[in-house]
Amino acid sequence: MTETESILQQFEPISLTEMESVKLMNRIDTKYVVTTRSLPQILKMAESDYYAQEIDGKRIATYDTMYYDTDSLDMYMRHHNRQLVRQKIRVRRYVDSDLIFLEIKRKNNKGRTKKKRIAIPLFEPTPETIGKTRKENISVEDFIIKKSRYTWDSISPHLNTRFQRITLVNKQKTERLTIDMNLVWENVITDERKTYEDLVIIELKRNGNVSSPMQDIMQTLRIHPLKISKYCIGTALTTPNLKRNRFKAKIRMLERLVVS
């Protein structure tokens, strides 16, 4: 058992059922980037303020995500070109709980992230695949048309992203905190692959600017927020000759972190 796993066992657990009230599908996100060497200290400081999500006795979950985009990488380019209103479309498999969702994330011009999703039975959906929302059945094709600016036939798989995730919830259940580790990107168009095993992305998900124990911890440790997209960084790292001016400084910073 690693030091991180040992510390995580000291947290009070929270189940998936108990997490239902903390979905935060409309939220404000704040991200931080640290290394695996820093994580044990951060977890020790957070232990008394957070629950740790536990599924079948596991507190570190495996995620497998396929991001979709247009042939011209419109979703990537809108982010790169600083468009405030933008979307990401992905199929995410929660490996340990065997759940698969088609998810559409939309960032608005107020900095809020809204996520809509439907359950699907296949990792690579077809237009005929049926997903279930709370009130209705809807096809993948109709869901994408209804919830995004794209159509199903205008997008295709581009980037597979795998990582391990720790999910924490504050004791007041007003904040969800995700900690992503062992990042692997595989570009299905270029066949390029990139790994960042020593990198950790911490994301606070809150319904507004409510107080956050983790935000206080980061301030104490002098770790500053960083706007970062796993999809955009992974795409920039695995697509030769792609426009990436906006992300160059962040990529250099990540490289320094993992080799320091």
Side-chain angles (χ1 to χ4, degrees):
M1 182 180 293
T2 66
E3 183 179 7
T4 292
E5 291 171 319
S6 179
I7 296 169
L8 200 56
Q9 290 301 314
Q10 305 306 312
F11 283 69
E12 292 184 55
I14 186 170
S15 68
L16 272 178
T17 301
E18 294 171 311
M19 293 275 287
E20 283 295 308
S21 63
V22 206
K23 285 185 176 179
L24 298 178
M25 304 294 270
N26 181 354
R27 67 202 188 218
I28 293 176
D29 298 336
T30 307
K31 297 178 183 178
Y32 302 88
V33 177
V34 300
T35 65
T36 53
R37 297 184 299 277
S38 306
L39 188 55
Q41 180 185 12
I42 293 169
L43 288 174
K44 286 178 183 177
M45 296 174 71
E47 180 185 336
S48 61
D49 293 305
Y50 289 89
Y51 300 106
Q53 178 180 283
E54 183 175 283
I55 301 173
D56 295 331
K58 296 180 180 180
R59 298 191 177 188
I60 299 179
T62 301
Y63 284 55
D64 193 339
T65 304
M66 182 66 76
Y67 285 91
Y68 286 65
D69 211 331
T70 65
D71 290 344
S72 61
L73 294 176
D74 183 70
M75 291 180 231
Y76 170 89
M77 293 306 304
R78 287 182 66 84
H79 195 146
H80 180 279
N81 294 337
R82 303 182 186 276
Q83 296 289 322
L84 296 179
V85 178
R86 55 184 186 262
Q87 297 177 338
K88 301 290 191 312
I89 298 176
R90 67 193 186 194
V91 172
R92 170 161 286 176
R93 180 184 176 208
Y94 299 78
V95 176
D96 300 285
S97 54
D98 203 27
L99 296 173
I100 305 172
F101 292 93
L102 169 64
E103 302 180 341
I104 298 175
K105 289 181 66 176
R106 182 179 184 273
K107 179 84 75 171
N108 67 20
N109 58 7
K110 304 296 183 183
R112 294 190 72 93
T113 299
K114 295 184 178 181
K115 185 168 76 171
K116 300 291 184 180
R117 69 181 189 180
I118 54 171
I120 59 175
L122 301 172
F123 186 68
E124 294 193 14
T126 67
E128 294 76 26
T129 301
I130 297 299
K132 293 184 177 180
T133 63
R134 289 183 178 179
K135 297 181 180 179
E136 60 183 343
N137 288 344
I138 184 171
S139 71
V140 165
E141 189 170 30
D142 289 342
F143 178 73
I144 289 175
I145 290 173
K146 184 177 180 180
K147 301 297 183 182
S148 81
R149 58 186 290 128
Y150 304 95
T151 60
W152 176 247
D153 60 4
S154 72
I155 61 174
S156 59
H158 271 72
L159 186 75
N160 182 241
T161 305
R162 298 192 301 276
F163 54 87
Q164 291 183 300
R165 170 171 286 185
I166 296 167
T167 300
L168 305 180
V169 176
N170 68 337
K171 294 295 179 69
Q172 291 73 37
K173 296 185 179 180
T174 59
E175 172 190 313
R176 185 188 288 240
L177 174 67
T178 59
I179 302 172
D180 295 344
M181 312 168 291
N182 298 319
L183 288 148
V184 178
W185 291 285
E186 292 183 343
N187 194 308
V188 300
I189 305 299
T190 67
D191 290 327
E192 296 281 339
R193 186 176 189 269
K194 182 68 176 181
T195 63
Y196 272 146
E197 294 179 354
D198 294 327
L199 202 69
V200 178
I201 298 177
I202 298 174
E203 183 173 357
L204 309 183
K205 304 172 184 181
R206 295 173 289 162
N207 184 15
N209 288 313
V210 296
S211 60
S212 164
M214 183 55 66
Q215 193 172 49
D216 294 339
I217 290 169
M218 292 303 186
Q219 289 175 349
T220 298
L221 297 176
R222 298 183 180 180
I223 299 171
H224 303 291
L226 179 71
K227 293 182 179 179
I228 186 171
S229 161
K230 287 194 290 292
Y231 171 64
C232 289
I233 292 296
T235 299
L237 286 169
T238 59
T239 311
N241 304 317
L242 179 66
K243 185 178 180 181
R244 66 192 73 189
N245 295 348
R246 184 182 177 187
F247 305 123
K248 282 182 177 178
K250 290 177 182 177
I251 290 172
R252 286 196 296 268
M253 189 208 73
L254 299 181
E255 295 287 356
R256 288 196 299 268
L257 269 177
V258 297
V259 300
S260 61

